[in-house]
Amino acid sequence: MQALQRSAHRLSRRGFLSASLAVGGGLLLDASFTLPADAQGGQVMPPLQVGAYVKIAPDGAVTITAKNTECGQGIKTMLPMLIAEELDVAWEDVRVVQADLNTDLYFAQRAGGSTATPMNWLPMRQVGAAGRAMLITAAAGTWLVPEAECTTAASQVRHMPTGRVLTYGQLAEKAATVAAPRPETMRLKDPSTFRIIGKPIRNVDSAAVVTGQPIFGIDVEVPGMKYAVFHKCPVFAGACKSANLDEIKRLPGVRDAFILEGGKDFGSLVSGVAIIGDSWWQANRARRFLKVEWDEGATGAMSSEGFARQTTALAAGAPQHSLRKDGDANAALAGAARLVEATYSYPFIAHAPLEPQNTTAAWKDGKVEIWAPTQNPEPGRQRVAQTLGVALGDITVHLMRCGGGFGRRLSNDYMVEAAAVARRAGMPVKLLWTREDDMQHDFYRPGGAHVLKAGLDTSGKLVAWKNHFISYGANGQFAAAADLGVNEFPARLISNFDVGYSLIPFGMPTGPLRAPRSNALAFAFQSFIDEVATTSRQDPLAFQLSILGDPKLYGEVGRGGFDTGRMRGVLTAVAQRAGWGQRRLPARTGMGIAQWFSHQGYFAAVVEVSVDDDGKVTPLKVWAVGDVGSQIINPSGAVHQVQGAVLDGLAQALGQAITFENGRTKQTNFGNFPLMRMADAPPVDVHFLITDNPPTGLGEPALPPIPPALCNAVFAATGKRIRSLPIDPAILKG
Amino acid sequence: MAFSIKVNGRQRTVEAEADTPLLWVLRDELNMKGAKFGCGATFCGACTVHLDGAPVRSCSIPISGVGARAVTTIEGIGASEVGKRVQEAWMEVDVMQCGYCQAGQIMSATALLTRTPKPTEAQITQAMNGNLCRCATYARIRAAIRKAAGLPAEAAGV
Ligand code: FES
Ligand code: FES
């Protein structure tokens, strides 16, 4: 473990802190850090910068700007906790305000990839520690005593020998004149002395939410604002040729209607009809009377049935491209004592955040002000700039709380639409999508299929693995989030390993969904591993452990490295908590186990299900164990993220699929794209293993093991193997 | 057309077409943004308000159908003793993730506890099953309802 720690800390961070007198008095801290280039899941990320902004007012109020966008992952609460801990303030004194988009001050402000924790864990604490050091210097200077005789707690500096006390508020102005230290030279607290980190801290927006305050994107009102809908072609990238605009403009409450041309880039503006109304209801109702002539383009010929036929045809042949080859998989399979073959497939799925996409935009003198619920504001601003030919500096973006993200709001198409519609309308506009718009114009989690072969030696050890991955894309290039990393499990663990892929040409938008790639790959690989284990009469847990082998680190911590020891740890712990192999279960009830490593987090899960005679699958309980390093920063938020991800994974496997017909998405609303409801939500037992590793994020990694653990449990309960999602109850009838 | 409706104890006159859903009258005419739009079709419950104390999906009730019934929204629910307790329990249990569904959840929970002060688990499930939470905060919704009802805290997952 010592070696791991060292390599993690080798990632040097250079910081710069400036301190000044705040407007209205008090201390203003403005910090920036440069973090080195990083690699994750085979992708190299460029060097990153993070910034922080803290104000201590004379009355003692500590204002911390929350720089990242909040979409339910708890970052608006969690990052300020890191600063507050080392600043040593009382949490009650802290006010958290949401920052606008300002890359000069804050640099990365996105919410995605579970990256906020690893990026900010050290820098945010160093900012707090530097502020604390300046307050101590100010106090020691006031009392004319050595700094070493001073200590801090709960927003006060105390002179230990005399018991004298000065509050941070009293010291703030003087501290603003102290030379700011370099943040990375700060000594940080021993974790055993933490007072805020590691304590369950309530979401900072709780009071606003329970009283219905207007804090979400959809709630924005600006003076003179009108309401807009944007009607795009139901066939992806179809173009609007003409529409009955005059008729639409005569409808009650309709101010204007016009066609925007747009291009073929789903992430920007595509062709459609905008309707502007005095109320959103009127604008949207006018769509019922809208008649549009579309040029549907090539995608109009595409359908899920066609994709299924192409998948079958490709699966029968050799892969078009090779991804990774170790040893000689063909020879090893030919000589294997036992061969297991199966094809696993999974569908496209939608994100369906509960708040439909929306943005408010107001133009003035060639500049635009935007209020948007986005996970990824800077690329949105850039898209607006490129699409509409505006200078970046003329675009202001206010970050609104997002009613869920799950990766959908990493794409900013709705932001570009709103800016384009408002400019053409010549008035401030709130664009709001319907649920149907959202379901039919998503960046879907890509479907795919894996033709898998495994070879075992006479002792039952897995010695060969072959995978023909059938995915979407063209010219050897995978569609967005439809790829497979060369190091993806179980690569590196099996000596004869061969992965190739074939691509189906494709015209729909795809993109990352919570735990992208992993949320699909885990189902295929972890289900197949369970199948190999049960076919060869081995205990699935024991088989999983035998694949992992002895504890070993492949690659480097923090840079996509995979530590089999940590995975063994979570598997063993979850089995123990669930009573794996220890309990006698009733008929048609079973337990399944699975694991997955993603976003630097190690997770294993056990699901217990019962399956009734009609084939209905009821999850009874889930146990999840995670290892995300040495510290759970906010236990309340952390447990929440895991429980949410677990139920999300169950809902996906139990009923979610997006299908296409004539280039259109068939699903429309929650009636045919079911989300988890309370009646179907089993209890979820969450446990974290604390290990000597840098803390990493939790928005995503708990999800991937869930679909396979569920399906493995269905097998244990019924003897029927689920090789295609969502689960079809018809094949499970008793 | 002009409609006179009573919202959170106040008589309000709004100009709207008869088929305008109550949700959009509240949000866009009266500028009360607490009730949320999630599906527009009774699937999600984000738009839940009370009519004479009963939870309804305001996205699917036309303004012309409200009549003399008293409308209560999340902005006014704290005025009732049960509503206030539910809001407090929601904060103590730290129910929210993104928070978008929670206004609707609180409205459904308050209606339940007003009618059934000590609900069984099955009654909680039944009352809340129409309210989707995409973030899946169900364990804490249940825990907060138990807390507001003064029922012993079960494994709340906190
Ligand atoms: S918005 Fe009314 S039920 Fe979903
Ligand atoms: S808290 Fe996000 S939808 Fe419920």
Side-chain angles (χ1 to χ4, degrees):
Chain A
M1 282 299 174
Q2 265 326 95
L4 304 185
Q5 194 73 329
R6 268 202 309 278
S7 80
H9 287 180
R10 215 170 52 224
L11 308 173
S12 66
R13 290 161 156 87
R14 286 188 303 107
F16 176 77
L17 179 70
S18 84
S20 57
L21 203 57
V23 180
L27 168 66
L28 189 67
L29 296 172
D30 174 1
S32 67
F33 294 82
T34 305
L35 313 185
D38 204 353
Q40 237 203 66
Q43 281 185 311
V44 178
M45 313 270 275
L48 287 167
Q49 289 191 292
V50 299
Y53 215 59
V54 183
K55 192 173 110 178
I56 302 177
D59 68 358
V62 180
T63 305
I64 303 180
T65 29
K67 62 193 179 69
N68 289 45
T69 82
E70 174 65 60
C71 52
Q73 82 283 40
I75 203 69
K76 190 174 174 184
T77 307
M78 193 271 268
L79 290 186
M81 287 172 66
L82 299 178
I83 297 176
E85 176 68 62
E86 295 288 346
L87 191 55
D88 224 3
V89 295
W91 182 250
E92 301 73 58
D93 295 339
V94 174
R95 318 268 174 281
V96 179
V97 297
Q98 179 65 57
D100 286 339
L101 175 62
N102 187 333
T103 49
D104 293 339
L105 276 185
Y106 306 110
F107 310 101
Q109 292 181 265
R110 70 200 281 274
S114 294
T115 50
T117 301
M119 270 175 67
N120 290 290
W121 167 243
L122 276 177
M124 292 301 122
R125 287 187 300 144
Q126 288 166 342
V127 173
R132 173 178 176 270
M134 292 166 72
L135 289 156
I136 287 178
T137 304
T142 307
W143 292 321
L144 301 172
V145 299
E147 288 180 19
E149 291 181 0
C150 298
T151 184
T152 60
S155 316
Q156 294 184 332
V157 183
R158 213 178 103 103
H159 181 232
M160 289 180 285
T162 61
R164 280 179 292 179
V165 160
L166 282 168
T167 67
Y168 283 8
Q170 290 168 323
L171 291 165
E173 258 172 56
K174 181 156 189 171
T177 64
V178 171
R182 289 198 69 89
E184 72 270 24
T185 63
M186 291 292 102
R187 246 185 88 133
L188 298 175
K189 283 186 182 177
D190 183 290
S192 66
T193 66
F194 284 161
R195 295 175 232 235
I196 297 170
I197 293 174
K199 306 284 178 293
I201 299 283
R202 171 190 308 160
N203 194 302
V204 294
D205 279 339
S206 273
V209 161
V210 304
T211 53
Q213 299 307 302
I215 57 173
F216 294 93
I218 196 175
D219 301 335
V220 170
E221 284 279 321
V222 303
M225 180 184 97
K226 298 295 169 199
Y227 301 84
V229 292
F230 191 57
H231 190 82
K232 294 187 282 272
C233 184
V235 176
F236 294 96
C240 178
K241 293 206 284 199
S242 67
N244 58 337
L245 298 175
D246 291 333
E247 195 179 321
I248 295 300
K249 283 190 227 176
R250 284 196 297 272
L251 292 170
V254 173
R255 289 256 157 171
D256 201 358
F258 47 84
I259 294 169
L260 287 179
E261 275 202 11
K264 296 282 176 207
D265 177 358
F266 295 120
S268 290
L269 182 70
V270 299
S271 171
V273 181
I275 304 174
I276 315 291
D278 288 333
S279 73
W280 182 81
W281 169 251
Q282 288 170 313
N284 192 54
R285 191 181 52 178
R287 290 170 84 172
R288 291 187 211 152
F289 306 94
L290 187 61
K291 295 190 190 77
V292 190
E293 197 191 340
W294 301 107
D295 173 1
E296 294 190 355
T299 308
M302 294 182 176
S303 69
S304 293
E305 274 181 23
F307 294 147
R309 272 198 305 277
Q310 292 175 76
T311 300
T312 308
L314 287 167
Q320 295 164 341
H321 310 275
S322 176
L323 195 65
R324 179 178 186 130
K325 269 190 170 72
D326 301 317
D328 187 342
N330 286 335
L333 287 169
R338 184 189 285 271
L339 178 68
V340 184
E341 300 180 67
T343 297
Y344 282 80
S345 66
Y346 42 82
F348 289 79
I349 50 183
H351 298 79
L354 200 56
E355 178 194 25
Q357 311 311 330
N358 65 83
T359 290
T360 301
W363 289 82
K364 201 174 168 211
D365 305 329
K367 299 183 181 183
V368 62
E369 197 170 356
I370 290 171
W371 293 259
T374 170
Q375 291 178 254
N376 207 12
E378 179 57 15
R381 184 165 73 138
Q382 289 171 1
R383 295 280 189 147
V384 171
Q386 288 155 10
T387 311
L388 301 178
V390 206
L392 271 185
D394 290 342
I395 305 169
T396 305
V397 183
H398 304 288
L399 307 182
M400 303 309 298
R401 190 176 180 88
C402 305
F406 311 105
R408 172 61 181 87
R409 296 187 217 266
L410 291 168
S411 301
N412 291 287
D413 44 340
Y414 51 93
M415 193 200 285
V416 184
E417 279 173 14
V421 169
R423 184 162 75 175
R424 170 72 186 272
M427 56 186 99
V429 153
K430 171 154 69 183
L431 170 80
L432 171 62
W433 290 18
T434 60
R435 173 57 49 197
E436 289 79 7
D437 290 330
D438 182 62
M439 198 70 81
Q440 306 202 318
H441 294 279
D442 197 353
F443 292 74
Y444 304 100
R445 190 288 297 273
H450 298 262
V451 184
L452 295 162
K453 293 188 172 84
L456 303 177
D457 68 11
T458 45
S459 72
K461 188 171 151 39
L462 184 56
V463 292
W465 174 281
K466 199 167 171 181
N467 178 12
H468 179 185
F469 176 31
I470 296 159
S471 187
Y472 295 86
N475 306 321
Q477 298 292 310
F478 289 99
D483 56 321
L484 166 60
V486 290
N487 287 331
E488 201 60 84
F489 180 89
R492 305 185 282 196
L493 303 177
I494 300 168
S495 40
N496 302 294
F497 192 81
D498 183 342
V499 178
Y501 65 98
S502 300
L503 298 176
I504 299 172
F506 185 65
M508 286 77 173
T510 58
L513 167 76
R514 192 177 209 171
R517 305 167 192 85
S518 301
N519 58 35
L521 300 173
F523 161 69
F525 302 165
Q526 289 286 308
S527 298
F528 183 56
I529 284 171
D530 196 83
E531 179 170 356
V532 174
T534 52
T535 311
S536 58
R537 302 193 187 292
Q538 303 185 61
D539 171 57
L541 169 65
F543 190 59
Q544 290 269 9
L545 293 172
S546 82
I547 294 172
L548 291 168
D550 292 332
K552 180 175 171 184
L553 176 66
Y554 294 86
E556 206 180 329
V557 172
R559 304 172 79 86
F562 177 62
D563 183 344
T564 58
R566 294 178 74 182
M567 192 55 89
R568 293 182 70 92
V570 293
L571 266 172
T572 311
V574 82
Q576 200 236 330
R577 290 181 78 82
W580 179 262
Q582 305 296 312
R583 292 195 282 129
R584 274 193 75 83
L585 299 173
R588 289 180 73 80
T589 301
M591 280 177 147
I593 192 165
Q595 53 87 356
W596 201 253
F597 168 69
S598 70
H599 298 87
Q600 306 190 47
Y602 295 77
F603 268 86
V606 169
V607 176
E608 183 176 337
V609 296
S610 72
V611 183
D612 72 12
D613 286 342
D614 293 332
K616 182 177 167 7
V617 174
T618 304
L620 301 172
K621 178 146 186 182
V622 181
W623 294 262
V625 174
D627 171 359
V628 288
S630 63
Q631 181 70 57
I632 298 301
I633 298 167
N634 183 356
S636 179
V639 169
H640 233 5
Q641 287 305 308
V642 174
Q643 290 184 327
V646 166
L647 297 184
D648 208 352
L650 292 178
Q652 288 176 4
L654 286 170
Q656 295 180 357
I658 288 289
T659 50
F660 305 109
E661 199 171 72
N662 303 326
R664 297 152 162 83
T665 297
K666 281 167 76 177
Q667 287 68 27
T668 51
N669 205 317
F670 299 128
N672 46 22
F673 190 84
L675 302 185
M676 177 66 67
R677 289 185 185 271
M678 183 183 265
D680 306 317
V684 181
D685 174 77
V686 179
H687 181 71
F688 296 107
L689 287 187
I690 301 303
T691 60
D692 188 13
N693 291 285
T696 53
L698 268 174
E700 305 176 86
L703 190 151
I706 301 305
L710 172 70
C711 296
N712 296 342
V714 167
F715 178 81
T718 63
K720 305 250 172 58
R721 185 58 68 180
I722 303 294
R723 296 197 186 86
S724 170
L725 291 181
I727 295 173
D728 176 7
I731 66 169
L732 299 176
K733 290 211 165 97
Chain B
M1 258 182 95
F3 291 92
S4 181
I5 55 171
K6 194 171 171 190
V7 184
N8 298 333
R10 258 179 81 193
Q11 205 64 40
R12 311 286 299 258
T13 304
V14 290
E15 199 53 54
E17 288 164 72
D19 64 349
T20 311
L22 175 59
L23 174 66
W24 297 107
V25 170
L26 292 169
R27 289 186 58 86
D28 290 351
E29 304 301 325
L30 298 176
N31 198 21
M32 299 171 73
K33 308 292 195 202
K36 295 290 188 265
F37 170 58
C39 69
T42 73
F43 293 122
C44 77
C47 62
T48 305
V49 302
H50 294 179
L51 286 187
D52 281 348
V56 297
R57 310 299 182 222
S58 66
C59 69
S60 301
I61 301 237
I63 181 71
S64 57
V66 174
R69 288 180 288 176
V71 181
T72 309
T73 72
I74 186 73
E75 289 91 343
I77 199 68
S80 83
E81 190 261 328
V82 178
K84 194 166 159 40
R85 250 192 295 133
V86 170
Q87 286 173 320
E88 282 164 4
W90 239 251
M91 291 188 58
E92 279 160 31
V93 176
D94 197 16
V95 173
M96 67 178 283
Q97 283 190 29
C98 82
Y100 194 74
C101 71
Q102 300 297 347
Q105 307 280 3
I106 288 171
M107 296 309 289
S108 291
T110 304
L112 166 69
L113 294 184
T114 306
R115 236 177 17 242
T116 314
K118 304 275 177 206
T120 63
E121 292 300 298
Q123 285 171 321
I124 294 176
T125 304
Q126 204 204 357
M128 303 305 295
N129 211 41
N131 285 83
L132 286 174
C133 175
R134 173 66 180 89
C135 305
T137 60
Y138 298 118
R140 291 196 193 176
I141 290 172
R142 204 179 268 289
I145 291 173
R146 296 181 65 84
K147 185 172 203 102
L151 293 166
E154 250 198 349
V158 182

